[in-house]
Amino acid sequence: MRIVTGNRFEEFADERAVLFPEYRKNRDELIDFADSLRGDETVVTSSLEVVDLLSERFRRGEDNVLIYSDTGKALTLKEVYELRKYLDFDVRGGFSGEEAGTSVLFVEGKTDAKFFKAVFKKLFEFRESRKAPRALRFVERVFERDNFDLLRRESDGVFLAVIPSEGNSGVIRNLGNFLRAMEVFNFSVERIGVAIDVDEDRESAVASITGKLSNFRHEKTAFGYLVGGTEVVPLIIGLPFEDETIEWKKPTVEDLMLHLIEREGLLERIKPGIKALNESLGRKLKPKEVMYLALSAYGHWGNLEGFYELFVMRSRFRNLKSILREAGLMEGLQRLAWAEGRGRR
């Protein structure tokens, strides 16, 4: 199966090509069309619904590809399927053009996204943005959702997208697919942040990133890795939290929050409640359970993601910076925040 998108599709439309007239077709007609194909056709289309149907059906096999006719380069339909599913990526192309300092940060989940969003707002003068730069128009609709965040700093016009990715494996998957998409669709961002938990050890976490980068020509930099003109900046999350009432197993963003609520004095306030629950449950509390206690004591009646963002924003600068430095994250965050040649270095 070959799917062709872009403006120069005539070059790829051979005698077996299907020039699909998607205009005024309802979904049932699109499904009937997709079901009628054998898998050896070339389909020329500008319908994302058709692309979704075909990439889901034919995503197995390296020969099943989407060709972006403007560049003549191709993605496998498995890559297309994942770009559509996890990033709502517009695989019709047309993203190159407008220059703007832009970074993308892939994080594990929604709470991670709200934590890092607040960090960039608190420490680096970013504010939420409703307008995406041209280099991020392919996922513009994503930023209308509550758990995806697009930020912009007014002083220099730098953009930062914070995107949750469904765990460590999701972060690594999105990194690889995003780099492939930049190759095919001829667009770029200045930096890609990759925030993952240490899990077993730091070396294994770094190896998961370098393993994905082995599919691309890359070189080591002082802050990460350079792939073409884009720097990949690892942010390895690991700052153990020791407390006799809290069960700690592996580093996560919750640990950073535990350190922060401790230094802000909130942990001491909820210690009696933690000890009472220890005795009642017959075990120590998990970090996320402590977070829910802290949320209640703080008087925040929203969800956990909202509490993370609010608490980070209201914390003291020195406490937040100190924790991020101890966690080894501060330099990488600064690298993502200040685009090349714009503002501080």
Side-chain angles (χ1 to χ4, degrees), residues 78-79 81-83 85-87 106-108 164-180 194 196 208 212 216:
K78 181 177 183 290
E79 291 168 332
Y81 175 79
E82 292 179 348
L83 283 166
K85 180 178 181 180
Y86 299 109
L87 293 177
F106 291 118
V107 301
E108 289 200 21
S165 306
E166 299 186 6
N168 270 2
S169 60
V171 171
I172 301 303
R173 177 201 61 228
N174 280 345
L175 168 65
N177 287 339
F178 196 87
L179 289 170
R180 285 281 296 121
V194 186
I196 59 175
S208 67
K212 182 60 66 175
F216 306 88

Side-chain angles (χ1 to χ4, degrees), residues 33 72 96 108 160-161 167 172 175 203 207 287 339 345:
F33 167 72
S96 59
E108 289 200 21
L160 172 71
I172 301 303
L175 168 65
E203 288 72 24
R345 294 291 303 279

Side-chain angles (χ1 to χ4, degrees), residues 140-153:
E140 189 168 12
R141 287 188 301 163
V142 164
F143 301 115
E144 296 174 4
R145 304 176 189 174
D146 290 340
N147 58 321
F148 290 81
D149 293 289
L150 179 63
L151 307 175
R152 183 175 183 267
R153 188 170 46 235

